[in-house]
mmCIF file of all heavy atoms in Angstrom:
data_model
loop_
_atom_site.group_PDB
_atom_site.id
_atom_site.type_symbol
_atom_site.label_atom_id
_atom_site.label_comp_id
_atom_site.label_asym_id
_atom_site.label_seq_id
_atom_site.Cartn_x
_atom_site.Cartn_y
_atom_site.Cartn_z
ATOM 1 N N THR A 1 186.704 -96.238 -10.240
ATOM 2 C CA THR A 1 187.689 -97.079 -9.608
ATOM 3 C C THR A 1 188.901 -96.224 -9.236
ATOM 4 O O THR A 1 189.099 -95.127 -9.766
ATOM 5 C CB THR A 1 188.185 -98.220 -10.561
ATOM 6 O OG1 THR A 1 188.886 -97.647 -11.682
ATOM 7 C CG2 THR A 1 187.020 -99.071 -11.030
ATOM 8 N N ILE A 2 189.713 -96.702 -8.380
ATOM 9 C CA ILE A 2 190.963 -96.040 -7.999
ATOM 10 C C ILE A 2 191.834 -95.805 -9.243
ATOM 11 O O ILE A 2 192.393 -94.797 -9.380
ATOM 12 C CB ILE A 2 191.726 -96.825 -6.908
ATOM 13 C CG1 ILE A 2 190.910 -96.915 -5.608
ATOM 14 C CG2 ILE A 2 193.098 -96.230 -6.584
ATOM 15 C CD1 ILE A 2 190.707 -95.599 -4.926
ATOM 16 N N GLY A 3 191.900 -96.860 -10.084
ATOM 17 C CA GLY A 3 192.704 -96.677 -11.291
ATOM 18 C C GLY A 3 192.228 -95.584 -12.184
ATOM 19 O O GLY A 3 193.050 -94.874 -12.773
ATOM 20 N N GLN A 4 190.871 -95.527 -12.373
ATOM 21 C CA GLN A 4 190.333 -94.470 -13.225
ATOM 22 C C GLN A 4 190.596 -93.106 -12.593
ATOM 23 O O GLN A 4 190.897 -92.179 -13.344
ATOM 24 C CB GLN A 4 188.852 -94.664 -13.360
ATOM 25 C CG GLN A 4 188.424 -95.866 -14.200
ATOM 26 C CD GLN A 4 186.934 -96.110 -14.150
ATOM 27 O OE1 GLN A 4 186.314 -95.833 -13.140
ATOM 28 N NE2 GLN A 4 186.406 -96.603 -15.243
ATOM 29 N N PHE A 5 190.462 -92.987 -11.284
ATOM 30 C CA PHE A 5 190.736 -91.743 -10.585
ATOM 31 C C PHE A 5 192.143 -91.275 -10.764
ATOM 32 O O PHE A 5 192.393 -90.153 -11.234
ATOM 33 C CB PHE A 5 190.309 -91.827 -9.129
ATOM 34 C CG PHE A 5 190.539 -90.540 -8.372
ATOM 35 C CD1 PHE A 5 189.559 -89.561 -8.421
ATOM 36 C CD2 PHE A 5 191.625 -90.384 -7.571
ATOM 37 C CE1 PHE A 5 189.727 -88.351 -7.756
ATOM 38 C CE2 PHE A 5 191.817 -89.157 -6.858
ATOM 39 C CZ PHE A 5 190.873 -88.180 -6.947
ATOM 40 N N PHE A 6 193.074 -92.103 -10.330
ATOM 41 C CA PHE A 6 194.473 -91.683 -10.384
ATOM 42 C C PHE A 6 195.013 -91.692 -11.773
ATOM 43 O O PHE A 6 195.949 -90.949 -12.084
ATOM 44 C CB PHE A 6 195.319 -92.541 -9.476
ATOM 45 C CG PHE A 6 195.163 -92.264 -8.024
ATOM 46 C CD1 PHE A 6 194.535 -93.121 -7.168
ATOM 47 C CD2 PHE A 6 195.591 -91.013 -7.527
ATOM 48 C CE1 PHE A 6 194.292 -92.807 -5.830
ATOM 49 C CE2 PHE A 6 195.383 -90.690 -6.163
ATOM 50 C CZ PHE A 6 194.763 -91.575 -5.315
ATOM 51 N N GLY A 7 194.424 -92.497 -12.703
ATOM 52 C CA GLY A 7 194.828 -92.453 -14.073
ATOM 53 C C GLY A 7 194.191 -91.321 -14.909
ATOM 54 O O GLY A 7 194.433 -91.204 -16.081
ATOM 55 N N ARG A 8 193.329 -90.532 -14.192
ATOM 56 C CA ARG A 8 192.642 -89.423 -14.779
ATOM 57 C C ARG A 8 191.862 -89.789 -16.013
ATOM 58 O O ARG A 8 191.819 -89.110 -17.035
ATOM 59 C CB ARG A 8 193.658 -88.283 -15.174
ATOM 60 C CG ARG A 8 194.368 -87.758 -13.953
ATOM 61 C CD ARG A 8 195.266 -86.658 -14.260
ATOM 62 N NE ARG A 8 196.023 -86.291 -13.085
ATOM 63 C CZ ARG A 8 196.556 -85.111 -12.856
ATOM 64 N NH1 ARG A 8 196.460 -84.184 -13.790
ATOM 65 N NH2 ARG A 8 197.178 -84.818 -11.763
ATOM 66 N N LYS A 9 191.179 -90.967 -15.883
ATOM 67 C CA LYS A 9 190.356 -91.463 -17.000
ATOM 68 C C LYS A 9 188.939 -91.082 -16.905
ATOM 69 O O LYS A 9 188.121 -91.387 -17.753
ATOM 70 C CB LYS A 9 190.449 -92.999 -17.042
ATOM 71 C CG LYS A 9 191.886 -93.496 -17.093
ATOM 72 C CD LYS A 9 192.041 -94.635 -18.039
ATOM 73 C CE LYS A 9 193.394 -95.234 -18.008
ATOM 74 N NZ LYS A 9 194.258 -94.723 -19.080
ATOM 75 N N ARG A 10 188.513 -90.348 -15.845
ATOM 76 C CA ARG A 10 187.187 -89.845 -15.651
ATOM 77 C C ARG A 10 187.160 -88.367 -15.401
ATOM 78 O O ARG A 10 188.136 -87.822 -14.874
ATOM 79 C CB ARG A 10 186.537 -90.519 -14.405
ATOM 80 C CG ARG A 10 186.398 -92.013 -14.431
ATOM 81 C CD ARG A 10 185.154 -92.502 -15.204
ATOM 82 N NE ARG A 10 183.880 -92.123 -14.634
ATOM 83 C CZ ARG A 10 183.104 -92.853 -13.883
ATOM 84 N NH1 ARG A 10 183.485 -94.069 -13.590
ATOM 85 N NH2 ARG A 10 181.954 -92.378 -13.504
ATOM 86 N N LYS A 11 186.148 -87.683 -15.922
ATOM 87 C CA LYS A 11 185.965 -86.274 -15.732
ATOM 88 C C LYS A 11 185.191 -86.119 -14.429
ATOM 89 O O LYS A 11 184.048 -86.536 -14.351
ATOM 90 C CB LYS A 11 185.282 -85.613 -16.898
ATOM 91 C CG LYS A 11 185.121 -84.103 -16.689
ATOM 92 C CD LYS A 11 184.418 -83.486 -17.861
ATOM 93 C CE LYS A 11 184.213 -82.011 -17.591
ATOM 94 N NZ LYS A 11 183.523 -81.375 -18.775
ATOM 95 N N ILE A 12 185.785 -85.507 -13.417
ATOM 96 C CA ILE A 12 185.127 -85.239 -12.127
ATOM 97 C C ILE A 12 184.922 -83.747 -12.028
ATOM 98 O O ILE A 12 185.897 -82.963 -12.250
ATOM 99 C CB ILE A 12 185.934 -85.746 -10.985
ATOM 100 C CG1 ILE A 12 186.047 -87.265 -11.090
ATOM 101 C CG2 ILE A 12 185.325 -85.369 -9.642
ATOM 102 C CD1 ILE A 12 186.974 -87.955 -10.120
ATOM 103 N N VAL A 13 183.689 -83.311 -11.720
ATOM 104 C CA VAL A 13 183.365 -81.884 -11.691
ATOM 105 C C VAL A 13 182.890 -81.558 -10.274
ATOM 106 O O VAL A 13 182.054 -82.223 -9.674
ATOM 107 C CB VAL A 13 182.231 -81.544 -12.727
ATOM 108 C CG1 VAL A 13 181.857 -80.100 -12.573
ATOM 109 C CG2 VAL A 13 182.655 -81.858 -14.102
ATOM 110 N N VAL A 14 183.518 -80.479 -9.703
ATOM 111 C CA VAL A 14 183.122 -79.971 -8.418
ATOM 112 C C VAL A 14 182.494 -78.638 -8.584
ATOM 113 O O VAL A 14 183.126 -77.769 -9.255
ATOM 114 C CB VAL A 14 184.308 -79.909 -7.429
ATOM 115 C CG1 VAL A 14 183.917 -79.385 -6.080
ATOM 116 C CG2 VAL A 14 185.026 -81.256 -7.294
ATOM 117 N N HIS A 15 181.271 -78.467 -8.109
ATOM 118 C CA HIS A 15 180.595 -77.173 -8.289
ATOM 119 C C HIS A 15 180.262 -76.600 -6.929
ATOM 120 O O HIS A 15 179.675 -77.234 -6.060
ATOM 121 C CB HIS A 15 179.223 -77.417 -9.017
ATOM 122 C CG HIS A 15 178.456 -76.105 -9.197
ATOM 123 N ND1 HIS A 15 177.514 -75.715 -8.271
ATOM 124 C CD2 HIS A 15 178.522 -75.122 -10.131
ATOM 125 C CE1 HIS A 15 176.968 -74.561 -8.734
ATOM 126 N NE2 HIS A 15 177.573 -74.197 -9.799
ATOM 127 N N PHE A 16 180.774 -75.341 -6.703
ATOM 128 C CA PHE A 16 180.491 -74.655 -5.445
ATOM 129 C C PHE A 16 179.351 -73.696 -5.622
ATOM 130 O O PHE A 16 179.432 -72.787 -6.458
ATOM 131 C CB PHE A 16 181.723 -73.896 -4.984
ATOM 132 C CG PHE A 16 182.895 -74.772 -4.616
ATOM 133 C CD1 PHE A 16 183.758 -75.232 -5.576
ATOM 134 C CD2 PHE A 16 183.052 -75.144 -3.261
ATOM 135 C CE1 PHE A 16 184.818 -76.089 -5.215
ATOM 136 C CE2 PHE A 16 184.124 -75.996 -2.915
ATOM 137 C CZ PHE A 16 185.006 -76.473 -3.906
ATOM 138 N N GLY A 17 178.288 -73.867 -4.887
ATOM 139 C CA GLY A 17 177.096 -73.039 -5.022
ATOM 140 C C GLY A 17 177.246 -71.767 -4.118
ATOM 141 O O GLY A 17 178.177 -71.589 -3.383
ATOM 142 N N LYS A 18 176.195 -70.952 -4.229
ATOM 143 C CA LYS A 18 176.128 -69.757 -3.400
ATOM 144 C C LYS A 18 175.936 -70.135 -1.914
ATOM 145 O O LYS A 18 175.128 -70.988 -1.602
ATOM 146 C CB LYS A 18 174.966 -68.880 -3.850
ATOM 147 C CG LYS A 18 174.700 -67.652 -3.104
ATOM 148 C CD LYS A 18 173.472 -66.890 -3.675
ATOM 149 C CE LYS A 18 173.038 -65.826 -2.677
ATOM 150 N NZ LYS A 18 171.851 -66.225 -1.913
ATOM 151 N N PRO A 19 176.724 -69.566 -1.022
ATOM 152 C CA PRO A 19 176.562 -69.880 0.388
ATOM 153 C C PRO A 19 175.106 -69.664 0.881
ATOM 154 O O PRO A 19 174.472 -68.671 0.465
ATOM 155 C CB PRO A 19 177.543 -68.960 1.159
ATOM 156 C CG PRO A 19 178.551 -68.656 0.078
ATOM 157 C CD PRO A 19 177.801 -68.607 -1.201
ATOM 158 N N ILE A 20 174.709 -70.523 1.759
ATOM 159 C CA ILE A 20 173.334 -70.451 2.388
ATOM 160 C C ILE A 20 173.499 -69.937 3.767
ATOM 161 O O ILE A 20 174.113 -70.633 4.594
ATOM 162 C CB ILE A 20 172.630 -71.830 2.390
ATOM 163 C CG1 ILE A 20 172.547 -72.424 0.982
ATOM 164 C CG2 ILE A 20 171.256 -71.730 3.076
ATOM 165 C CD1 ILE A 20 172.162 -73.898 0.988
ATOM 166 N N SER A 21 173.041 -68.722 4.072
ATOM 167 C CA SER A 21 173.152 -68.233 5.395
ATOM 168 C C SER A 21 172.204 -68.941 6.314
ATOM 169 O O SER A 21 171.201 -69.600 5.881
ATOM 170 C CB SER A 21 172.827 -66.688 5.410
ATOM 171 O OG SER A 21 171.476 -66.524 5.145
ATOM 172 N N TYR A 22 172.452 -68.854 7.599
ATOM 173 C CA TYR A 22 171.454 -69.553 8.500
ATOM 174 C C TYR A 22 170.110 -68.886 8.417
ATOM 175 O O TYR A 22 169.072 -69.543 8.490
ATOM 176 C CB TYR A 22 171.998 -69.614 9.953
ATOM 177 C CG TYR A 22 171.017 -70.461 10.754
ATOM 178 C CD1 TYR A 22 170.881 -71.815 10.490
ATOM 179 C CD2 TYR A 22 170.226 -69.883 11.706
ATOM 180 C CE1 TYR A 22 170.003 -72.615 11.219
ATOM 181 C CE2 TYR A 22 169.294 -70.665 12.412
ATOM 182 C CZ TYR A 22 169.218 -72.046 12.151
ATOM 183 O OH TYR A 22 168.304 -72.782 12.833
ATOM 184 N N ALA A 23 170.075 -67.564 8.186
ATOM 185 C CA ALA A 23 168.784 -66.900 8.014
ATOM 186 C C ALA A 23 168.014 -67.420 6.827
ATOM 187 O O ALA A 23 166.804 -67.604 6.884
ATOM 188 C CB ALA A 23 169.050 -65.347 7.914
ATOM 189 N N GLU A 24 168.745 -67.655 5.737
ATOM 190 C CA GLU A 24 168.060 -68.236 4.554
ATOM 191 C C GLU A 24 167.580 -69.626 4.843
ATOM 192 O O GLU A 24 166.463 -70.005 4.428
ATOM 193 C CB GLU A 24 169.066 -68.311 3.395
ATOM 194 C CG GLU A 24 168.492 -68.856 2.107
ATOM 195 C CD GLU A 24 169.504 -69.027 0.955
ATOM 196 O OE1 GLU A 24 170.617 -68.422 1.039
ATOM 197 O OE2 GLU A 24 169.178 -69.672 -0.030
ATOM 198 N N LEU A 25 168.381 -70.410 5.581
ATOM 199 C CA LEU A 25 167.975 -71.765 5.954
ATOM 200 C C LEU A 25 166.707 -71.756 6.789
ATOM 201 O O LEU A 25 165.780 -72.548 6.548
ATOM 202 C CB LEU A 25 169.115 -72.452 6.666
ATOM 203 C CG LEU A 25 169.106 -73.951 6.785
ATOM 204 C CD1 LEU A 25 169.115 -74.619 5.360
ATOM 205 C CD2 LEU A 25 170.325 -74.436 7.591
ATOM 206 N N LEU A 26 166.650 -70.841 7.739
ATOM 207 C CA LEU A 26 165.414 -70.697 8.512
ATOM 208 C C LEU A 26 164.258 -70.309 7.678
ATOM 209 O O LEU A 26 163.122 -70.827 7.871
ATOM 210 C CB LEU A 26 165.616 -69.625 9.657
ATOM 211 C CG LEU A 26 166.329 -70.027 10.900
ATOM 212 C CD1 LEU A 26 166.498 -68.849 11.829
ATOM 213 C CD2 LEU A 26 165.517 -71.159 11.604
ATOM 214 N N HIS A 27 164.462 -69.355 6.775
ATOM 215 C CA HIS A 27 163.344 -68.914 5.917
ATOM 216 C C HIS A 27 162.882 -69.972 4.983
ATOM 217 O O HIS A 27 161.713 -69.984 4.592
ATOM 218 C CB HIS A 27 163.851 -67.680 5.095
ATOM 219 C CG HIS A 27 162.796 -67.143 4.243
ATOM 220 N ND1 HIS A 27 161.681 -66.474 4.750
ATOM 221 C CD2 HIS A 27 162.664 -67.028 2.910
ATOM 222 C CE1 HIS A 27 160.911 -66.062 3.761
ATOM 223 N NE2 HIS A 27 161.481 -66.427 2.615
ATOM 224 N N SER A 28 163.711 -70.987 4.671
ATOM 225 C CA SER A 28 163.364 -72.019 3.750
ATOM 226 C C SER A 28 162.167 -72.904 4.297
ATOM 227 O O SER A 28 161.459 -73.509 3.509
ATOM 228 C CB SER A 28 164.554 -72.949 3.408
ATOM 229 O OG SER A 28 164.873 -73.770 4.502
ATOM 230 N N VAL A 29 161.987 -72.918 5.573
ATOM 231 C CA VAL A 29 160.906 -73.704 6.194
ATOM 232 C C VAL A 29 160.006 -72.857 7.034
ATOM 233 O O VAL A 29 159.221 -73.334 7.818
ATOM 234 C CB VAL A 29 161.438 -74.897 6.993
ATOM 235 C CG1 VAL A 29 162.168 -75.897 6.077
ATOM 236 C CG2 VAL A 29 162.343 -74.429 8.123
ATOM 237 N N ASP A 30 160.135 -71.520 6.929
ATOM 238 C CA ASP A 30 159.435 -70.593 7.758
ATOM 239 C C ASP A 30 157.900 -70.812 7.592
ATOM 240 O O ASP A 30 157.379 -71.021 6.509
ATOM 241 C CB ASP A 30 159.764 -69.119 7.301
ATOM 242 C CG ASP A 30 159.265 -68.078 8.274
ATOM 243 O OD1 ASP A 30 159.130 -68.436 9.476
ATOM 244 O OD2 ASP A 30 159.057 -66.954 7.851
ATOM 245 N N GLY A 31 157.222 -70.846 8.760
ATOM 246 C CA GLY A 31 155.795 -70.953 8.703
ATOM 247 C C GLY A 31 155.230 -72.371 8.526
ATOM 248 O O GLY A 31 154.084 -72.579 8.424
ATOM 249 N N MET A 32 156.168 -73.348 8.519
ATOM 250 C CA MET A 32 155.691 -74.745 8.318
ATOM 251 C C MET A 32 155.400 -75.465 9.644
ATOM 252 O O MET A 32 154.992 -76.592 9.658
ATOM 253 C CB MET A 32 156.686 -75.491 7.456
ATOM 254 C CG MET A 32 156.853 -74.907 6.066
ATOM 255 S SD MET A 32 158.060 -75.806 5.090
ATOM 256 C CE MET A 32 157.067 -76.861 4.177
ATOM 257 N N GLY A 33 155.730 -74.830 10.757
ATOM 258 C CA GLY A 33 155.457 -75.404 12.072
ATOM 259 C C GLY A 33 156.389 -76.499 12.469
ATOM 260 O O GLY A 33 156.063 -77.268 13.370
ATOM 261 N N HIS A 34 157.589 -76.656 11.823
ATOM 262 C CA HIS A 34 158.504 -77.715 12.223
ATOM 263 C C HIS A 34 159.291 -77.292 13.458
ATOM 264 O O HIS A 34 159.618 -76.143 13.642
ATOM 265 C CB HIS A 34 159.472 -78.008 11.045
ATOM 266 C CG HIS A 34 158.758 -78.487 9.819
ATOM 267 N ND1 HIS A 34 158.173 -79.739 9.742
ATOM 268 C CD2 HIS A 34 158.626 -77.920 8.621
ATOM 269 C CE1 HIS A 34 157.691 -79.893 8.542
ATOM 270 N NE2 HIS A 34 157.894 -78.796 7.836
ATOM 271 N N GLN A 35 159.682 -78.300 14.258
ATOM 272 C CA GLN A 35 160.460 -78.072 15.471
ATOM 273 C C GLN A 35 161.482 -79.152 15.611
ATOM 274 O O GLN A 35 161.309 -80.297 15.104
ATOM 275 C CB GLN A 35 159.589 -78.020 16.671
ATOM 276 C CG GLN A 35 158.565 -76.897 16.719
ATOM 277 C CD GLN A 35 157.736 -76.891 17.953
ATOM 278 O OE1 GLN A 35 157.780 -77.846 18.779
ATOM 279 N NE2 GLN A 35 156.986 -75.880 18.191
ATOM 280 N N GLY A 36 162.520 -78.854 16.347
ATOM 281 C CA GLY A 36 163.520 -79.889 16.679
ATOM 282 C C GLY A 36 164.086 -80.610 15.460
ATOM 283 O O GLY A 36 164.469 -80.065 14.440
ATOM 284 N N ALA A 37 164.123 -81.985 15.652
ATOM 285 C CA ALA A 37 164.722 -82.804 14.558
ATOM 286 C C ALA A 37 163.992 -82.652 13.229
ATOM 287 O O ALA A 37 164.589 -82.701 12.181
ATOM 288 C CB ALA A 37 164.693 -84.286 15.033
ATOM 289 N N ASN A 38 162.654 -82.490 13.284
ATOM 290 C CA ASN A 38 161.906 -82.279 12.036
ATOM 291 C C ASN A 38 162.322 -81.042 11.323
ATOM 292 O O ASN A 38 162.409 -80.976 10.074
ATOM 293 C CB ASN A 38 160.410 -82.314 12.298
ATOM 294 C CG ASN A 38 159.883 -83.652 12.617
ATOM 295 O OD1 ASN A 38 160.445 -84.678 12.189
ATOM 296 N ND2 ASN A 38 158.838 -83.713 13.408
ATOM 297 N N LEU A 39 162.597 -79.954 12.069
ATOM 298 C CA LEU A 39 163.079 -78.704 11.511
ATOM 299 C C LEU A 39 164.376 -78.884 10.783
ATOM 300 O O LEU A 39 164.557 -78.501 9.640
ATOM 301 C CB LEU A 39 163.209 -77.655 12.550
ATOM 302 C CG LEU A 39 163.850 -76.319 12.119
ATOM 303 C CD1 LEU A 39 162.952 -75.590 11.162
ATOM 304 C CD2 LEU A 39 164.165 -75.451 13.313
ATOM 305 N N TYR A 40 165.296 -79.598 11.440
ATOM 306 C CA TYR A 40 166.633 -79.866 10.806
ATOM 307 C C TYR A 40 166.492 -80.707 9.579
ATOM 308 O O TYR A 40 167.200 -80.442 8.577
ATOM 309 C CB TYR A 40 167.545 -80.493 11.808
ATOM 310 C CG TYR A 40 167.868 -79.692 13.017
ATOM 311 C CD1 TYR A 40 167.939 -80.222 14.309
ATOM 312 C CD2 TYR A 40 168.109 -78.303 12.956
ATOM 313 C CE1 TYR A 40 168.234 -79.517 15.413
ATOM 314 C CE2 TYR A 40 168.393 -77.568 14.067
ATOM 315 C CZ TYR A 40 168.430 -78.120 15.305
ATOM 316 O OH TYR A 40 168.730 -77.373 16.377
ATOM 317 N N LYS A 41 165.615 -81.722 9.580
ATOM 318 C CA LYS A 41 165.421 -82.581 8.413
ATOM 319 C C LYS A 41 164.838 -81.724 7.227
ATOM 320 O O LYS A 41 165.293 -81.943 6.086
ATOM 321 C CB LYS A 41 164.508 -83.736 8.720
ATOM 322 C CG LYS A 41 165.162 -84.789 9.537
ATOM 323 C CD LYS A 41 164.273 -85.970 9.724
ATOM 324 C CE LYS A 41 164.940 -87.106 8.931
ATOM 325 N NZ LYS A 41 164.226 -88.350 9.034
ATOM 326 N N GLU A 42 163.943 -80.855 7.515
ATOM 327 C CA GLU A 42 163.376 -80.034 6.439
ATOM 328 C C GLU A 42 164.410 -79.078 5.934
ATOM 329 O O GLU A 42 164.478 -78.849 4.704
ATOM 330 C CB GLU A 42 162.150 -79.255 6.930
ATOM 331 C CG GLU A 42 160.912 -80.122 7.156
ATOM 332 C CD GLU A 42 160.489 -80.900 5.955
ATOM 333 O OE1 GLU A 42 160.398 -80.331 4.878
ATOM 334 O OE2 GLU A 42 160.235 -82.160 6.072
ATOM 335 N N GLN A 43 165.204 -78.540 6.773
ATOM 336 C CA GLN A 43 166.310 -77.618 6.335
ATOM 337 C C GLN A 43 167.334 -78.369 5.513
ATOM 338 O O GLN A 43 167.855 -77.869 4.532
ATOM 339 C CB GLN A 43 166.967 -76.939 7.510
ATOM 340 C CG GLN A 43 166.034 -75.948 8.179
ATOM 341 C CD GLN A 43 166.597 -75.423 9.463
ATOM 342 O OE1 GLN A 43 167.339 -76.085 10.219
ATOM 343 N NE2 GLN A 43 166.164 -74.201 9.871
ATOM 344 N N ALA A 44 167.591 -79.624 5.896
ATOM 345 C CA ALA A 44 168.503 -80.470 5.134
ATOM 346 C C ALA A 44 167.971 -80.715 3.705
ATOM 347 O O ALA A 44 168.763 -80.809 2.758
ATOM 348 C CB ALA A 44 168.824 -81.774 5.835
ATOM 349 N N LYS A 45 166.668 -80.834 3.610
ATOM 350 C CA LYS A 45 166.054 -81.001 2.238
ATOM 351 C C LYS A 45 166.390 -79.818 1.393
ATOM 352 O O LYS A 45 166.657 -79.941 0.198
ATOM 353 C CB LYS A 45 164.566 -81.211 2.320
ATOM 354 C CG LYS A 45 164.136 -82.534 2.819
ATOM 355 C CD LYS A 45 162.570 -82.634 2.858
ATOM 356 C CE LYS A 45 162.143 -83.935 3.481
ATOM 357 N NZ LYS A 45 160.707 -84.005 3.608
ATOM 358 N N TYR A 46 166.333 -78.626 1.981
ATOM 359 C CA TYR A 46 166.682 -77.402 1.234
ATOM 360 C C TYR A 46 168.142 -77.422 0.802
ATOM 361 O O TYR A 46 168.441 -77.060 -0.371
ATOM 362 C CB TYR A 46 166.335 -76.199 2.156
ATOM 363 C CG TYR A 46 166.561 -74.873 1.469
ATOM 364 C CD1 TYR A 46 165.729 -74.370 0.503
ATOM 365 C CD2 TYR A 46 167.714 -74.076 1.756
ATOM 366 C CE1 TYR A 46 165.942 -73.167 -0.133
ATOM 367 C CE2 TYR A 46 167.920 -72.867 1.158
ATOM 368 C CZ TYR A 46 167.025 -72.400 0.214
ATOM 369 O OH TYR A 46 167.262 -71.187 -0.401
ATOM 370 N N VAL A 47 169.009 -77.825 1.709
ATOM 371 C CA VAL A 47 170.432 -77.907 1.348
ATOM 372 C C VAL A 47 170.664 -78.897 0.184
ATOM 373 O O VAL A 47 171.346 -78.595 -0.764
ATOM 374 C CB VAL A 47 171.269 -78.282 2.582
ATOM 375 C CG1 VAL A 47 172.715 -78.582 2.207
ATOM 376 C CG2 VAL A 47 171.174 -77.250 3.671
ATOM 377 N N MET A 48 169.988 -80.031 0.287
ATOM 378 C CA MET A 48 170.127 -81.018 -0.805
ATOM 379 C C MET A 48 169.578 -80.545 -2.114
ATOM 380 O O MET A 48 170.120 -80.813 -3.187
ATOM 381 C CB MET A 48 169.419 -82.352 -0.399
ATOM 382 C CG MET A 48 170.026 -83.030 0.784
ATOM 383 S SD MET A 48 171.798 -83.308 0.642
ATOM 384 C CE MET A 48 171.832 -84.462 -0.711
#
């Protein structure tokens, strides 16, 4: 809730991971035959 957030009653953790280069993103689905929107969706799965 807004009250919990501003009242600092909850522990919120932000984790920054290692940057994913576009080359790594391409390699994540390399050889799977995806194109266009399907390629982007598969790459988004890797990001998630």
Side-chain angles (χ1 to χ4, degrees):
T1 66
I2 296 293
Q4 290 171 329
F5 180 80
F6 285 111
R8 299 181 185 205
K9 305 221 184 263
R10 298 279 296 260
K11 180 179 178 181
I12 297 172
V13 177
V14 180
H15 179 267
F16 294 86
K18 178 180 165 256
I20 303 167
S21 68
Y22 186 67
E24 179 183 348
L25 199 58
L26 276 176
H27 183 67
S28 73
V29 295
D30 194 26
M32 299 177 97
H34 298 290
Q35 297 179 352
N38 287 332
L39 173 66
Y40 298 139
K41 285 186 114 178
E42 289 302 313
Q43 291 171 333
K45 285 181 186 178
Y46 182 75
V47 172
M48 295 307 295

